[in-house]
Amino acid sequence: MHHVKSLLARALNVRPLLLAGGVLGVVYYGWSAGGPSAAEQPRVVPPPVVATRDRSKIQTAVFAGGCFWGTQGIFQHVNGVLSATAGYAGGSAETAVYELTETGSTGHAEAVRIVFDASKVSFGTLMQVFFSVAHDPTQLNRQGADVGPQYRSTVFPQTKEQANVASAYIRQLDQSHAFSSPIATTVEAGKTFYKAEDYHQDYLVNNPTQPYIAFVEQPKVDALQRLFHSVWREEPLLEAGRRG
């Protein structure tokens, strides 16, 4: 994700591929060199074999998988999610700002903090959504045209149990060949989440006609509705006005 003036040029580059190859396939895999076949479509990957035992009602999860505009927009439509906040994870408080993170040198990834009601949606289901429609977990330090470690695929576990379940789930997906390429997702424990600037919050909802949103991110939300209708929330849960 780059500044808005460069998004228009990039959108023009991907739009012909979208029209020629099919919206979902191109958006999901970005037609990037070394990525999976563009013929593959977003689909529901198998759930984790090992379910979380923690039944505490209110829990937190942090995921990173490319531009946080889209990741936030997806989880805002998941029933049981109480908040989805765009931010940074993996680096220090001093570098948790957009301009520094976008250099790719801070250790941060663009991430989303999800507070959820575990009695309504499980951590396992959130991981299913993350690996199925939110991004391509086989791309290393990139998502499509967004290149750099700030766009890496990462689970930032908030508990030891989440760390164990996430690591086991990655092994499960690799062993079952759920994807045509090995999963590049990392599990990085002990990292603090920092909320992003206000103008990044609810960006997908507030900018539906912006080319990057319309052609790259909104189709992922559409795929969520189609593939995860059992947890689909029609009205997005917005971050605007929320503290913290």
Side-chain angles (χ1 to χ4, degrees), residues 48-236:
V49 171
V50 179
T52 54
R53 296 184 298 274
D54 187 353
R55 295 293 182 264
S56 301
K57 187 175 181 181
I58 307 302
Q59 299 183 27
T60 301
V62 178
F63 298 122
C67 174
F68 51 21
W69 293 346
T71 308
Q72 181 191 43
I74 289 168
F75 284 105
Q76 286 178 322
H77 279 284
V78 174
N79 189 39
V81 168
L82 305 178
S83 69
T85 307
Y88 313 104
S92 68
E94 292 74 18
T95 59
V97 295
Y98 182 69
E99 289 76 12
L100 294 178
T101 295
E102 291 309 287
T103 67
S105 62
T106 66
H108 281 297
E110 291 193 12
V112 173
R113 180 183 63 199
I114 302 158
V115 178
F116 61 102
D117 183 342
S119 69
K120 295 182 179 179
V121 63
S122 68
F123 178 66
T125 297
L126 295 179
M127 284 201 301
Q128 271 193 290
V129 170
F130 178 64
F131 282 100
S132 296
V133 300
H135 77 310
D136 176 0
T138 71
Q139 293 192 2
L140 179 63
N141 291 334
R142 69 178 300 158
Q143 283 295 303
D146 292 324
V147 180
Q150 67 272 31
Y151 302 111
R152 67 187 182 273
S153 173
T154 301
V155 178
F156 293 98
Q158 302 302 292
T159 65
K160 184 177 180 179
E161 183 181 13
Q162 284 188 3
N164 292 337
V165 171
S167 296
Y169 191 35
I170 291 169
R171 290 194 299 271
Q172 173 189 333
L173 293 177
D174 269 335
Q175 291 169 1
S176 66
H177 302 290
F179 297 88
S180 58
S181 299
I183 291 178
T185 307
T186 60
V187 178
E188 301 178 26
K191 304 296 185 180
T192 301
F193 175 89
Y194 303 95
K195 184 177 179 179
E197 297 83 352
D198 287 345
Y199 67 90
H200 287 302
Q201 307 302 330
D202 306 325
Y203 196 94
L204 185 147
V205 174
N206 292 331
N207 299 273
T209 62
Q210 202 247 50
Y212 182 79
I213 294 299
F215 292 111
V216 177
E217 301 294 7
Q218 181 59 43
K220 300 176 186 178
V221 178
D222 297 339
L224 173 73
Q225 182 179 18
R226 178 171 61 87
L227 298 176
F228 287 89
H229 51 83
S230 63
V231 297
W232 170 256
R233 176 192 182 107
E234 185 64 32
E235 292 297 322

Side-chain angles (χ1 to χ4, degrees), residues 30-48:
W31 286 69
S32 61
S37 167
E40 296 189 57
Q41 299 289 315
R43 75 279 193 201
V44 180
V45 298

